[in-house]
Amino acid sequence: MSSITSKFTSENGVPVTEEAIRACWSEFNELFPKDKDCLEELYKRIDASGISKRPCCPNTNVQEQDGGRAIKCSSCGKKTWLTAGTFFHRIKRPKAWLGAIWFIEHGLILSSSRFHKLAGIAQSSALQVFKKITMVIQSHMDEEALSIDSSCFCPVFCKRSRETPAREHPCAEQEEIEKQCVGPNGKALGDQDGPRASADCRDLVVPEDSSRDKSMDSMSIAPDPKEELSGYELDVYEALSAEPTCVDVLHGRISMSIDQLLVALTMLELAGLAKRLPGNRYISWQLQCKAAPSLQSSTTATTTKIIANCVNFIRCNFHGISRKYLQSYLAAYWCWVDEVRWRCSSVIRACLEFGPVSNRDILQYVSPALVKAASCTVGP
Ligand SMILES: [Zn+2]
């Protein structure tokens, strides 16, 4: 956020020391002792980011309400929350949110069980803060991240989620996601409608020999499944790019009904050609891979090292996680490992640019079969 020079880093993924956490937190507390101070900082940031509120009536006066969190128009009486429409809309404890961002921007990644005690919030709230912030971070992971089969991270899947099949180990979530690409009876999804992109889909997600050790070097990309696409699907595919595009924007670009568009997007997703992101946005998965051909051919050794580092980071800081939110923890790893990208105000800026993340977005989120991991590593 602002005016900080000290930096605390942990080495090799080991948990950061208590001293570093306390020093960072007391520095934050000096600058922002109360919720009120955090809100003021937030309003400053919102103003500076250009997300300005247009007044509802011309030449009107506004009165502050709810302790300065909202303004009321004296002409029409309309009440507007200052954080409305932003990432921070409806937050209850501004200090917890800014504090969490503060830690990340200082290279300290705290588990929810550690952070909730510091911030004086429930652990479930701390977890929600973590998931929402990392959702924003994830949206930036397309540029230079490696795509890795999520099965490589099975060693850290030891927490259940709503995706875990009943009475099964959390690892069963991984098998479920693999099944989603290869339908029942060993038939690939899409076979019902003809020979669409199915074999490619399997290549994309599940290694041919699905033993866990071999999956380490499975980073194969589908050859060219777009030859199998129907007319509508091809139109939609060509309208997609490596930049996340909102469904409404896509609809404006292509002449087809919204229903046809949504069906085509689903088929493209199944074929591994498109990927849905929070906020009803889509990116072209293939284009994204083509954009970084050098990364596809990066050596298995590098990939293996990155996986090992991520696993170590997750184990040390969070003990174990659910597969569902694997991508959130890989985003946190990126924040921790990248000494430059996510420091000084970058996280809060990204949050404001991103807009709201709803609880529903978080609940429905499932890490994809191919997850993104930062390609930078710690140490030599
Ligand atoms: Zn008004």
Side-chain angles (χ1 to χ4, degrees), residues 6 149 182 195 206 226 235 289 350:
S6 53
D149 192 307
V182 185
V206 190
K226 69 175 188 285
D235 287 348
C289 299

Side-chain angles (χ1 to χ4, degrees), residues 353-379:
E353 279 164 17
F354 192 84
V357 179
S358 69
N359 290 343
R360 198 158 167 260
D361 286 337
I362 298 294
L363 199 63
Q364 291 184 337
Y365 181 80
V366 177
S367 297
L370 278 181
V371 286
K372 293 278 180 185
S375 51
C376 35
T377 52
V378 195

